[in-house]
Amino acid sequence: MPTETKPLLFRGDQGENVLCHGMVVNLLSIGKALFMGYNRETQWTKYWIMDLVDESKPVLSVMAEVIQLLQVNKAQMLKQAQEGFVGATSLMEWMVRKGSLPMRKAKMVVEKRSNIRRKKGKGKFPTRV
């Protein structure tokens, strides 16, 4: 049996999260596909918006409590940021967006740089915390 990494509290919300994500994507897709600002055939999207609000309301109070009770270990975060490759994925995505590199090429560039840093002893691959 695989080890669960999510707290029990959030496992039940995953289905609602997927449902809400699908509704948002549908709404954005319809809005992007319109030729003009308003189309009477899309009036039924108001039901998606109402469902989205209804599904999201209960999560707000739970997440507010989670954020209030969140404790951050700043020393551990600083340590991992200095020795690991925390920003490698963000750097790769930035290179794809702004540098017009294909994803495969950006990945190779970031991997090469990471390997150079590791050989110089300036970083290591993070272990699971």
Side-chain angles (χ1 to χ4, degrees):
M1 181 178 266
T3 306
E4 294 291 335
T5 57
K6 291 181 186 173
L8 184 59
L9 172 70
F10 297 116
R11 278 191 235 142
D13 292 336
Q14 191 168 359
E16 290 178 12
N17 182 20
V18 171
L19 176 69
C20 291
H21 182 266
M23 288 180 195
V24 169
V25 169
N26 286 336
L27 287 168
L28 293 173
S29 298
I30 287 175
K32 190 172 186 177
L34 290 177
F35 293 112
M36 296 197 284
Y38 180 77
N39 191 342
R40 116 179 179 194
E41 284 85 23
T42 60
Q43 288 182 10
W44 53 271
T45 58
K46 65 184 168 194
Y47 299 112
W48 281 351
I49 294 170
M50 290 187 291
D51 287 345
L52 186 59
V53 170
D54 286 341
E55 289 290 334
S56 302
K57 271 185 192 176
V59 177
L60 295 175
S61 60
V62 172
M63 289 309 294
E65 279 190 54
V66 168
I67 291 170
Q68 262 183 341
L69 299 174
L70 184 69
Q71 294 179 357
V72 178
N73 186 341
K74 291 181 183 179
Q76 182 70 18
M77 285 178 61
L78 180 62
K79 180 182 170 201
Q80 286 185 344
Q82 288 174 340
E83 61 187 34
F85 300 99
V86 175
T89 304
S90 299
L91 175 62
M92 182 183 64
E93 290 171 352
W94 177 81
M95 291 169 77
V96 170
R97 272 194 324 269
K98 300 290 183 182
S100 300
L101 282 175
M103 179 69 86
R104 184 179 301 270
K105 182 74 172 174
K107 181 179 182 288
M108 289 170 46
V109 169
V110 171
E111 284 176 346
K112 188 173 183 178
R113 178 64 180 151
S114 297
N115 289 335
I116 290 169
R117 283 186 51 85
R118 192 173 353 98
K119 286 177 185 174
K120 289 183 178 179
K122 294 188 177 183
K124 65 178 183 177
F125 287 106
T127 57
R128 190 166 182 201
V129 179

